[in-house]
């Protein structure tokens, strides 16, 4: 199978300081990209160096550095509390970042652009496992509606610029991510990071009990961020929605967004027990049922990307062990 990008590309990773972006950068270097031997470059400007919400600044940056490939991993992200508390901030900031980058990349004739969405784009009560075709077929989960709408707008912007102008933009929808570089903020973290922080701190402080949000019944799928990074490079190299072997929707239409995950889910209660055991926490686990559960189940159908030849490598137990060890190292 031919590759759609080469080692001599000038690759701009937007959001390179975040968990997904930094993992993608590590994987790019690991696979030979950004090497001066091949005249390859990887651009990783900080937020101070480039404000992605400023259209003029983005345009000036592209004019100066002329990247040939753009990976859009930049986003304002957070867990249930942050999403429900600051919906205006989430939709506004994400729309600005996405629109600026995609429009300028198209305007400056970027060869390929990959946009990272999220599994939260899918409706609250999607059929399981969730297929790409389920996008927009019913109502979203209220607690992250603003973020989801922004991400859907990004997917559709990429799709419509491809349809109207032939701009080579593709999108990946990752499931819940965890791993190196995660955000462990008490109010802004996602469920995996929140539980890892709680149980690691509980072990360290010998806390008699830990309180977790909700009932523990919701089912979630988790993927180590290093697996996402490998999927991003795989998609850039191997997936062209216009090729004969490209995945099609149930209606036989070429897809421009694909799911990425493990295809395996776990209850939040069982996840908490796994993390507690890994962190050697010996106290009691309490569940605060006054806190929201969110979507009852989110399990992605990953058959389309696996049919192309990609598959996840890191098992949940292995990933949790690595992540817990890293947390203890950095917080002791």
């Amino acid at each position: 199978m031919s590759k759609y990008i080469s080692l001599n590309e000038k690759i701009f990773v937007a959001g390179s300081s975040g968990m997904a972006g930094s993992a993608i950068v590590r994987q790019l270097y690991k696979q030979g990209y950004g090497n001066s031997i091949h005249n390859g470059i990887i651009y990783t400007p900080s937020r101070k160096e480039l404000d992605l919400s400023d259209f003029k600044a983005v345009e000036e940056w592209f004019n100066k550095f002329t990247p040939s490939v753009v990976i859009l991993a930049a986003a304002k992200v957070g867990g249930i509390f942050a999403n429900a508390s600051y919906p205006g901030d989430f939709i506004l900031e994400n729309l600005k970042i996405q629109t600026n980058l995609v429009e300028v990349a198209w305007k400056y004739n970027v060869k390929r652009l990959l946009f990272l969405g999220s599994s939260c784009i899918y409706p609250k009560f999607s059929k399981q496992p969730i297929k790409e075709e389920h996008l927009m077929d019913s109502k979203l989960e209220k607690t992250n509606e603003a973020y989801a709408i922004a991400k859907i707008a990004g997917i559709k912007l990429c799709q419509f610029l491809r349809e109207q102008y032939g701009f080579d933009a593709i999108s990946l929808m990752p499931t819940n991510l965890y791993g190196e570089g995660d955000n462990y903020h008490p109010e802004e973290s996602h469920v995996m990071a929140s539980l890892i922080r709680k149980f690691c701190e509980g072990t360290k402080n010998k806390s008699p009990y830990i309180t977790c949000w909700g009932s523990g019944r919701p089912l979630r799928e988790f993927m180590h961020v290093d697996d996402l990074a490998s999927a991003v490079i795989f998609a850039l190299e191997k997936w062209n929605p216009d090729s004969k072997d490209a995945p099609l929707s149930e209606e036989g239409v070429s897809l421009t967004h694909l799911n990425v995950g493990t295809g395996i889910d776990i209850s939040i209660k069982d996840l908490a027990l796994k993390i507690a055991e890994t962190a050697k926490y010996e106290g009691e686990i309490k569940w605060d049922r006054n806190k929201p559960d969110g979507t009852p189940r989110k399990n992605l159908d990953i058959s389309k990307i696996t049919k192309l030849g990609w598959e996840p490598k890191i098992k949940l137990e292995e990933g949790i062990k690595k992540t817990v060890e890293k947390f203890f190292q950095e917080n002791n």
Side-chain angles (χ1 to χ4, degrees):
M1 189 186 284
S2 60
K3 287 187 179 181
Y4 294 104
I5 62 169
S6 309
L7 294 178
N8 63 358
E9 306 290 355
K10 297 161 74 175
I11 303 173
F12 172 28
V13 182
S16 58
S17 63
M19 175 173 61
S22 57
I24 291 165
V25 170
R26 289 195 301 271
Q27 190 68 22
L28 283 167
Y29 279 120
K30 193 175 175 182
Q31 294 196 25
Y33 291 93
N35 193 322
S36 58
I37 294 171
H38 307 293
N39 296 315
I41 301 173
I42 298 173
Y43 295 120
T44 58
S46 66
R47 191 174 297 181
K48 202 177 220 180
E49 292 167 324
L50 176 59
D51 179 1
L52 299 174
S53 65
D54 182 337
F55 183 86
K56 190 179 177 187
V58 172
E59 194 168 31
E60 287 173 353
W61 189 92
F62 269 74
N63 188 48
K64 182 177 180 181
F65 294 100
T66 62
S68 57
V69 174
V70 172
I71 300 170
L72 210 175
K76 179 178 177 61
V77 296
I80 288 178
F81 178 86
N83 273 277
S85 303
Y86 313 108
D89 294 345
F90 272 85
I91 193 165
L92 188 60
E93 194 169 330
N94 283 303
L95 283 173
K96 280 183 179 178
I97 291 167
Q98 296 164 189
T99 308
N100 289 349
L101 277 168
V102 176
E103 183 180 353
V104 173
W106 163 60
K107 186 178 175 181
Y108 279 80
N109 299 310
V110 162
K111 179 178 170 181
R112 296 213 90 186
L113 179 141
L114 186 143
F115 173 70
L116 273 187
S118 163
S119 60
C120 76
I121 61 163
Y122 293 112
K124 180 171 183 174
F125 298 110
S126 274
K127 292 176 186 174
Q128 304 290 324
I130 305 169
K131 296 183 177 182
E132 287 84 352
E133 295 90 336
H134 295 167
L135 180 63
M136 297 174 68
D137 67 4
S138 58
K139 287 187 177 179
L140 297 163
E141 158 61 36
K142 193 69 182 169
T143 54
N144 61 12
E145 183 182 21
Y147 179 75
I149 287 172
K151 286 294 183 183
I152 292 167
I155 296 161
K156 290 297 179 182
L157 178 58
C158 290
Q159 177 189 333
F160 296 142
L161 286 177
R162 170 180 282 276
E163 287 178 9
Q164 186 175 347
Y165 297 104
F167 178 50
D168 191 3
I170 53 176
S171 302
L172 291 182
M173 301 303 110
T175 190
N176 300 289
L177 300 172
Y178 71 98
E180 187 176 337
D182 208 342
N183 176 10
Y184 294 97
H185 189 280
E187 292 180 354
E188 295 174 2
S189 58
H190 288 100
V191 61
M192 177 75 87
S194 174
L195 291 174
I196 286 173
R197 178 184 56 79
K198 282 182 178 184
F199 286 112
C200 289
E201 288 180 353
T203 299
K204 186 179 175 183
N205 301 327
K206 294 184 170 59
S207 304
Y209 67 88
I210 295 293
T211 303
C212 300
W213 276 33
S215 66
R217 285 196 301 266
L219 294 159
R220 292 289 182 273
E221 175 185 1
F222 296 93
M223 177 172 64
H224 195 279
V225 71
D226 288 350
D227 273 338
L228 171 69
S230 75
V232 165
I233 299 167
F234 175 88
L236 284 168
E237 289 181 345
K238 305 292 175 91
W239 172 39
N240 178 1
D242 300 327
S243 70
K244 289 179 183 177
D245 62 346
L248 303 176
S249 71
E250 289 169 343
E251 292 78 34
V253 177
S254 179
L255 288 163
T256 58
H257 72 280
L258 293 181
N259 292 336
V260 185
T262 62
I264 303 165
D265 57 10
I266 183 173
S267 74
I268 299 300
K269 184 177 181 181
D270 286 344
L271 176 69
L273 291 170
K274 276 186 186 293
I275 295 170
E277 183 183 0
T278 307
K280 295 181 169 54
Y281 177 72
E282 296 176 349
E284 184 187 356
I285 301 173
K286 295 183 179 181
W287 294 92
D288 183 355
R289 292 171 182 265
N290 293 317
K291 293 293 193 293
D293 270 341
T295 304
R297 189 182 185 198
K298 274 201 300 186
N299 180 218
L300 295 183
D301 182 327
I302 59 167
S303 60
K304 290 183 176 68
I305 194 166
T306 55
K307 201 171 179 182
L308 281 173
W310 176 85
E311 60 181 24
K313 298 281 198 299
I314 302 169
K315 303 290 185 193
L316 184 62
E317 289 77 10
E318 178 195 345
I320 288 174
K321 186 173 182 289
K322 282 170 62 177
T323 310
V324 165
E325 286 172 357
K326 189 83 173 173
F327 186 92
F328 275 128
Q329 284 170 14
E330 293 176 351
N331 294 276
N332 275 340

